[in-house]
Amino acid sequence: MKTRALEKYTVRDVLEYRGHPQLQHTVRESDTVEDALELMYAHDIVSLPVFGGSGQTDQAFVDIVSVYDLRDYITNSQGLKEEVDFQILSGRASGKPTVLDDTVAQVVKSRKHASREVSMRMPLEQLVQLFATYGQHRVLVTATDMDNGTHANDDNARVPNGTRKRGVSVDSGCSSASMQSNAHTVCGLTQYDVVRFIQHHNHELGSSLDTPILNVARVHAPLEPSARGHMPHITVRDTALRALVLLRDSHNSALPVVDADGRLVTEFAATMLRGLTASSIGLLGKPVLAYMFGLRMPVLSPYIVHENFTLSQVMSGLLRMNCRRAWLVDREERPVAVISLTDVLNHFL
C-alpha cells in the first residue's frame, strides 16, 4: 500500500475494531422488491442479507442485495414508464402488477456479479483494492467465529451451502451483516467500515492525511448554465426517474442537484428509492424536489468542501456527519467534484 503503516493489518483487524453487529434485518428470496425497500427505509440501511426458503429456521443464505441493485432492476423494468405515466395522469395506481411486486430472487438473479467472499486473513490492502479498484461496496467475510474469538486455519475455508442460519445481523450505520452457523460466522464489511478503521489509525499515517483534497478528487470543469460535457448532474426541473436512470448509466451512487446557475441545491441518491411503494410510483415522473416532498423526505444540505480542505478534514467530516460523499464546490458554490468513500480508499493504494 502507499501507506506502509497499514500493511500489517488484515480483515480480522477491521472486524475486531468494528465490534459485534447488534441488529437483525434480513429478507427472503420470496419477499418483494417493495418489502426490501420498506425495510431499508425503516432502518436507514442500504443492503440486506437474503435467505432462501419460506420457513423461519434453517434458511440457506443466498447473497446480499443493495439499494443499488434494486435501483438498476427497477429502472430497467419495461413496464415502469407506463405505470408512472398512468399515475401522473389519473392520480391513482393502475391496479396492475408493478416491478415492486417482483421478488428479491429475481433481483439477485438479474445481477452480473455476486457479493465477494473473503477470508479473515486477507490483507487490508487486498480488501481496499476490492472496494476501490473493482467497485465493490460490500464483501462477505467467511470462516470466522466471532463469538469465541477463534478463527479457521484455512484461508480458503467456506461455510458449506445450506448451513448458514440467522444470527445477529446488521449494524445500520455501516449496513453490515452477520449470519451465524454452528461453527462459523459469516459477516459483512463495507467501505464505511474500512474508512472508519483507517481514521482510527490516523496517528500512523503521517503526512498522507495532509494531502490536498484536490489531489484525491477527480475534478471537473465548473458547471456553467446550460453547459455540456461536465460532471454528471441534474437540475431541479429533472424528474426523479431521469435522475435514477442517469445514476444507473453513470455508475454513480448520487448526483448533484443544481439550480439554473449551476449552484448546488442538494443531492439525489439511489437511497431515495427506499420510500417508494406501488401506489407512489407516479412520483417518479415529477421533478426531484417534488418527488422528495411527495415521499416526505427531507431536502438535506449536502456535505460541502472547498479546495483548501485536506484529506484528513474530509474523512473526519464524512464520519462525523455519517455521510457517504462530500461535494467539492467552487467559489460560486457550483459542484466540480464528488469525493466518495471509494475515492478516499483509492488514495491509500
Side-chain angles (χ1 to χ4, degrees), residues 70-242:
L70 298 177
R71 174 202 65 194
D72 294 348
Y73 185 82
I74 290 171
T75 55
N76 280 315
S77 172
Q78 293 183 351
L80 178 63
K81 185 65 165 58
E82 180 181 349
E83 181 66 23
V84 169
D85 291 342
F86 181 89
Q87 291 194 19
I88 286 288
L89 293 173
S90 66
R92 61 179 179 84
S94 67
K96 299 178 181 179
T98 71
V99 63
L100 300 190
D101 296 314
D102 289 351
T103 64
V104 172
Q106 291 174 272
V107 178
V108 172
K109 185 178 180 180
S110 71
R111 297 188 317 188
K112 296 180 180 179
H113 305 288
S115 300
R116 294 290 298 268
E117 295 192 15
V118 302
S119 165
M120 285 278 283
R121 295 187 177 185
M122 172 181 275
L124 177 60
E125 178 179 10
Q126 292 183 26
L127 179 61
V128 172
Q129 285 178 336
L130 281 177
F131 284 145
T133 306
Y134 300 103
Q136 294 283 320
H137 291 281
R138 75 278 188 224
V139 295
L140 304 180
V141 185
T142 56
T144 73
D145 188 340
M146 294 178 65
D147 288 332
N148 57 28
T150 60
H151 305 279
N153 293 324
D154 184 3
D155 284 351
N156 297 316
R158 292 290 180 266
V159 180
N161 290 335
T163 63
R164 298 172 186 164
K165 300 180 181 180
R166 293 193 192 205
V168 290
S169 189
V170 301
D171 171 1
S172 61
C174 302
S175 302
S176 303
S178 173
M179 287 68 71
Q180 199 170 47
S181 70
N182 292 332
H184 301 85
T185 297
V186 180
C187 55
L189 281 178
T190 68
Q191 292 185 356
Y192 193 91
D193 292 323
V194 178
V195 171
R196 285 184 63 222
F197 178 81
I198 293 175
Q199 178 70 5
H200 179 69
H201 293 272
N202 58 9
H203 58 284
E204 302 179 40
L205 302 180
S207 61
S208 178
L209 291 179
D210 296 327
T211 301
I213 200 60
L214 284 174
N215 295 348
V216 178
R218 291 167 288 178
V219 179
H220 299 259
L223 290 177
E224 303 289 349
S226 303
R228 296 182 181 275
H230 298 272
M231 71 177 297
H233 65 282
I234 53 176
T235 72
V236 291
R237 295 183 178 182
D238 287 319
T239 67
L241 182 56
R242 182 184 184 281

Side-chain angles (χ1 to χ4, degrees), residues 31 34 38 50 77 110 168 174 191 256 258 263 286 291 333:
D31 288 335
E34 186 170 340
E38 181 181 3
V50 181
S77 172
S110 71
V168 290
C174 302
Q191 292 185 356
V258 300
R263 290 189 294 265
K286 295 188 175 183
Y291 171 84
E333 300 296 314

